[in-house]
Amino acid sequence: MRKLLASGFLLVFLCQGYSQEISNLPSRPIFAVQATTYDYINTQIIPFELEGGLILVGAMYRGENASYILDTGAPSLVMNNSEWKREKPKSFFSGICGAVNVQRLKIKKFIFGLVRHKNVKALETNMSHIERLKKRKIKGLLGKSILCNHETMIDYRQKEITIFKPNQSSQFHRSQKPLDAIPFLMDKHIPVVNIKIGGKEYHFGIDSGAEVNVINKNIAHLIDDELCQNWKTKNLRGIGRNGVNVKSTEVKTVEVHGSEYNNMKFIIADLSVFNGKKKVQLDGLLGYPFLSSGKFSINYKDQSLYVWETYSSPAVSETVTMRD
């Protein structure tokens, strides 16, 4: 029996150049890992590349240093097999852009900087369409199970990830107090925070693998029209091969733990596949437009999203490519 698994990982806007052959795609090297002075032990800075709104980092598997997408919306390590043609997969994931076949596997050893795992439970699927969209080879996704034992800081302005053990008394937390600590609850593998739009409270997941913020279409009618502007139609693509047309808009003000974020872009999409009959429904996702508005770190042990800096202008100059 095929098992259905709900997942929101990897949401990208459809871009030009989709027909390029996988064999001709560049395999760009990732910069070597650098040491940091934040903490003398168990702290590391890893540079990353930004492709649209996706974070690409280097990780080691079977002696190969390859590119992986950092994706807090994915439940685990997801490996890409572009030649994957199994006729009877044991499972499939269902997400915003439809279902995708996956196969479970166990990886003996996987290294991401100081994060080292043995006997990793992982998933495998064909991600060749994502490689064509991004015009480069991608080995897989780094999800929650890879990151959950370490606090992970993302700095879009410097294009650096800092990894250190989740410990409130670490030298980093003692030397630099965060501007805020946004509490979250775990909805399976997705951290969920409370936000306010127009004074109404909603539950949004934190997802570094989403190039867009998402509002569940089931609650879109609750948001006053005067709070939204610049409506457009876009094409959205996820880890599944099918793209979907969605409405996009700018929300004038979003409040997260008392702080206001202005003119953030959202798309309206169906998130019912995540919710089912749960008491707490997922009302949306906060992806790249939110996370690039400052310097954040995610700590699964403390269940906190720490805010270290906020930016008055976008952290990076790159923009997500979209097709009308």
Side-chain angles (χ1 to χ4, degrees):
M1 178 181 294
R2 299 173 74 190
K3 186 176 180 182
L4 174 65
L5 305 166
S7 174
F9 55 72
L10 204 61
L11 298 177
V12 299
F13 274 126
L14 185 61
C15 62
Q16 302 289 342
Y18 184 64
S19 61
Q20 189 172 359
E21 292 296 327
I22 291 295
S23 59
N24 296 328
L25 292 175
S27 180
R28 304 173 190 170
I30 299 293
F31 298 110
V33 172
Q34 301 172 358
T36 177
T37 58
Y38 287 151
D39 202 345
Y40 298 112
I41 301 174
N42 294 326
T43 302
Q44 204 163 40
I45 290 179
I46 298 178
F48 68 79
E49 295 180 40
L50 199 64
E51 286 287 347
L54 298 179
I55 296 171
L56 282 142
V57 296
M60 188 75 67
Y61 172 58
R62 290 181 175 175
E64 179 188 4
N65 186 34
S67 298
Y68 292 77
I69 296 172
L70 189 76
D71 188 355
T72 60
S76 61
L77 177 65
V78 182
M79 301 299 291
N80 176 25
N81 184 349
S82 59
E83 303 301 322
W84 198 71
K85 296 180 180 179
R86 291 183 176 89
E87 294 182 357
K88 295 182 179 180
K90 295 180 180 179
S91 307
F92 66 97
F93 270 103
S94 184
I96 293 175
C97 299
V100 57
N101 294 326
V102 298
Q103 188 78 18
R104 298 181 185 275
L105 69 157
K106 184 176 285 188
I107 291 177
K108 290 184 179 180
K109 187 178 181 181
F110 189 84
I111 300 173
F112 172 47
L114 60 83
V115 181
R116 297 166 183 258
H117 290 278
K118 292 183 178 180
N119 299 319
V120 181
K121 293 181 179 179
L123 300 171
E124 181 184 50
T125 192
N126 187 331
M127 295 172 55
S128 59
H129 58 295
I130 300 297
E131 292 181 301
R132 292 189 184 100
L133 286 171
K134 293 303 177 183
K135 300 181 181 179
R136 64 179 298 161
K137 291 183 179 180
I138 297 170
K139 191 68 175 180
L141 312 177
L142 304 184
K144 185 248 181 182
S145 67
I146 298 296
L147 306 170
C148 63
N149 293 326
H150 293 73
E151 184 169 339
T152 304
M153 177 184 293
I154 303 174
D155 185 343
Y156 284 91
R157 181 159 283 179
Q158 297 299 322
K159 295 185 183 179
E160 293 177 341
I161 293 170
T162 302
I163 301 176
F164 51 97
K165 286 192 172 181
N167 187 342
Q168 288 275 15
S169 62
S170 70
Q171 181 175 333
F172 185 85
H173 279 262
R174 290 198 306 269
S175 63
Q176 299 189 41
K177 287 190 175 181
L179 300 177
D180 195 9
I182 303 170
F184 63 76
L185 296 175
M186 293 302 300
D187 180 9
K188 295 184 178 178
H189 57 277
I190 299 178
V192 178
V193 300
N194 293 332
I195 75 165
K196 288 183 179 180
I197 301 176
K200 299 174 184 177
E201 191 167 285
Y202 303 99
H203 306 287
F204 274 57
I206 301 297
D207 188 355
S208 68
E211 288 193 307
V212 290
N213 296 326
V214 183
I215 294 173
N216 190 355
K217 74 174 187 178
N218 291 339
I219 63 102
H221 68 280
L222 301 175
I223 300 174
D224 293 338
D225 291 340
E226 63 184 22
L227 299 177
C228 301
Q229 58 191 5
N230 298 328
W231 285 92
K232 297 179 181 179
T233 300
K234 303 294 179 183
N235 190 281
L236 184 73
R237 187 176 292 273
I239 198 168
R241 290 178 172 273
N242 297 323
V244 294
N245 289 326
V246 295
K247 295 289 186 181
S248 70
T249 188
E250 288 183 8
V251 178
K252 293 179 180 179
T253 303
V254 176
E255 184 180 325
V256 182
H257 206 235
S259 297
E260 292 187 350
Y261 298 83
N262 298 320
N263 301 320
M264 279 204 303
K265 294 181 179 180
F266 288 81
I267 60 106
I268 312 300
D270 185 1
L271 297 182
S272 59
V273 68
F274 304 100
N275 290 323
K277 297 181 180 180
K278 295 185 303 183
K279 291 183 179 180
V280 178
Q281 299 285 293
L282 194 64
D283 298 316
L285 298 171
L286 294 177
Y288 168 74
F290 171 73
L291 293 171
S292 64
S293 67
K295 185 191 293 186
F296 295 87
S297 67
I298 186 167
N299 189 317
Y300 288 98
K301 181 180 178 181
D302 295 342
Q303 292 195 332
S304 293
L305 182 71
Y306 292 105
V307 184
W308 300 94
E309 290 184 43
T310 58
Y311 306 137
S312 58
S313 58
V316 291
S317 59
E318 289 90 342
T319 58
V320 179
T321 303
M322 297 175 286
R323 178 187 290 170
D324 292 326

